[in-house]
Amino acid sequence: MSGDETAHTSLDLPPKAGATSDGEKDLGLLRGDIDTIEHGRPIDFGFLPIPRRLQYDPEHPAHFGLVLNVVFGLASTFIVANLYYCQPLLIQFSKSFGVSYDEISRIPTLVQAGYGTGLLLITPLGDLVRRRPLLLLVTFTSASLSICLAVTRSLAVFEAFSFLVGVSSVAPQILIPLAADLAPPSRRASAISIVLSGLLFGVLIARVVAGVIAQFTSWRVVYYMAIGVQYSVLLALWATLPDYPAKNKDLTYWRILWTMGKLAVTEPKLIQACLITTTSSACFTTFWVTLTFLLGGQYHYSTLVIGLFGLIGMVGVMMAPLVGRFVDQLVPWHATLLATCGLLLIQAVYTGAAGVSIGAVVVTTIGLDIGRQLQQVSLTTSVYSISQAARARLNAVLILFIFIGQVMGTAVGTKLFVQHGWRASAILMLSWTVWQLFVLLLRGPHCERYTWFGYQGGLEWRKRALTESEAEKAGSEGVKDALEGGADVGNDPSTTARAAHGPPLTPDVRGTDDADKEKQGRFTRKV
């Protein structure tokens, strides 16, 4: 693949297929190929036209540039915010619905439970159906369900629709693997980091925006604002999101769920990433949940000052482009190692001085955000390399373990802080970070796919050097095979390629990873 070709997209998809299976028919318009109106213009859902520049053309794939990447990031920000608007509004909810704090505290739990359900049941569809209509559908659904949150006078109805809004607010977890598919391999980590930073920004900004608006008006205005923002996101996605066919047309929904479970127990790289990210997420959640208790109890800060610490955390979000570019230059394992060592240092500072120096708290706030983002981007990049055709399922498994870590951090970390103080909570986070380093070191950076423990292939840390070495090795082996087969190496490159590798070098989306595609492309040019 040449530089000009990779500048457009790295997503290699099969051309439009004629026949459909029973499973495809069951999923209707989302699953099959693009429907067309009588004038031949592609449409979604049987009525919604697709802009001409966004229609699928295998010979001229859509360009994945900075504008589309930023749209993905902003969409993630305003969709994931649905999960956090309620947190600073609980007191107002209690007064408005006339119930106790204990009853109203179910709302954040229901929203998160809905989100977990959506992660499990909806996000794997990214490997089964066309992502454009899927994203439009879930965004429209979350925006429309938010209307009920803004107008209802019943707590039971509010709780039910909070759960449903959580289920449908999974667009960011569909956008992340889509960004990985669309971005060229050399910019994949950068693309992922921008979308992830948008997600983190949404987590931080939702609480601030909801608290400020509710301070001067009604809490219902927060949800009216959320409705408008989500419909704006829907319009932006319709106008910018390129269309591509489904990736796995021979699979059914239940088969997708089964293979997701299979991946979770048979892929060493995925399991390693899940074990690391679970405890890393637990550390991150424990810190932010207990920060209020630390600043209010130990330093006697006001609610306003405590809220401003969320703004300090945004420094880490703004580092996203640098983090992505950094990861793009490294083998993901080494980027994860660097991030984990940095997090270990930050946790050591917090454990030693969080209760005696506010400077240590500020350093931890910034360092934890940057380190966590670097670690998450590198782990995600590594996991996506397992299989291009299964990226949505791989992402779903990874995010589910992040969700488990959040629950673990909220429950265990908070309880330990309340019962034994800030240092006990800090020691727990430090121990979890040591565990992450231990798990990472059990399996080296260049192990074969199904190698569970040990080190293979050296410790090369530069991604470019590794790619060039593999390409050179593949080229020399290919020339040798071609000569042994009697091919004319000097006169017909296409014949040589076919003699060395059999069929033409067209990557199979179901099993070929990016390294293989780059290797094949380099071999063809070299020969």
Side-chain angles (χ1 to χ4, degrees), residues 494 497-499 501-508 520 524:
S494 62
R498 287 193 296 271
H501 291 280
L505 298 178
T506 54
D508 179 5
Q520 290 173 344
T524 303

Side-chain angles (χ1 to χ4, degrees), residues 29-30 32 34 44 50 129-134 243-246:
L29 296 177
L30 282 178
I34 303 172
D44 284 321
I50 301 175
V129 303
R130 293 164 46 221
R131 265 86 56 93
R132 177 184 166 88
L134 177 62
D243 190 61
Y244 284 92

Side-chain angles (χ1 to χ4, degrees), residues 451-489:
T451 299
W452 289 88
F453 303 103
Y455 289 76
Q456 297 172 331
L459 294 172
E460 176 59 55
W461 58 273
R462 296 167 300 169
K463 186 181 294 185
R464 178 177 297 180
L466 184 66
T467 302
E468 290 175 352
S469 175
E470 291 179 348
E472 183 176 351
K473 181 180 178 181
S476 61
E477 290 178 353
V479 170
K480 180 180 178 181
D481 293 343
L483 289 172
E484 290 176 353
D488 185 359
V489 177

Side-chain angles (χ1 to χ4, degrees), residues 1 3 38 43 66 72 80 103 120 147-148 156 239 256 258 262 288 300 319 381 389:
M1 186 178 293
E38 55 182 284
I43 58 176
L66 181 60
F72 280 21
V80 80
E103 291 179 272
L120 179 63
I147 297 175
C148 299
I256 285 285
W258 164 254
K262 184 178 179 181
W288 281 103
H300 307 290
M319 295 290 290
T381 303

Side-chain angles (χ1 to χ4, degrees), residues 112-124 170 173 176 256-257 259-264 270 273-279 281-282 372 376 380 383-384 391-408:
Q112 294 295 333
Y115 184 60
T117 303
L119 290 176
L120 179 63
L121 300 180
I122 296 179
T123 56
V170 293
Q173 303 307 334
I176 292 173
I256 285 285
L257 294 182
T259 56
M260 188 172 76
K262 184 178 179 181
L263 288 169
L270 175 62
C274 288
L275 291 175
I276 293 171
T277 201
T278 299
T279 49
S281 175
R372 172 62 182 152
Q376 186 61 37
T380 303
V383 166
Y384 283 176
R391 278 179 181 155
R393 282 164 285 172
L394 292 166
N395 184 73
V397 173
L398 195 62
I399 298 301
L400 279 172
F401 275 88
I402 291 176
F403 183 77
I404 292 171
Q406 291 174 344
V407 174
M408 187 168 69

Side-chain angles (χ1 to χ4, degrees), residues 163-238:
F163 177 83
L164 294 175
V165 167
V167 171
S168 58
S169 296
V170 293
Q173 303 307 334
I174 302 172
L175 286 169
I176 292 173
L178 178 58
D181 279 350
L182 295 179
S186 61
R187 288 189 54 246
R188 181 157 298 141
S190 298
I192 293 172
S193 69
I194 291 176
V195 184
L196 277 175
S197 68
L199 190 148
L200 293 175
F201 187 72
V203 173
L204 295 173
I205 202 66
R207 299 183 180 97
V208 177
V209 170
V212 171
I213 292 178
Q215 182 70 28
F216 298 100
T217 60
S218 166
W219 62 266
R220 297 182 186 276
V221 176
V222 175
Y223 287 98
Y224 286 127
M225 181 269 304
I227 295 166
V229 166
Q230 289 178 85
Y231 279 123
S232 298
V233 168
L234 179 64
L235 180 61
L237 290 177
W238 175 84

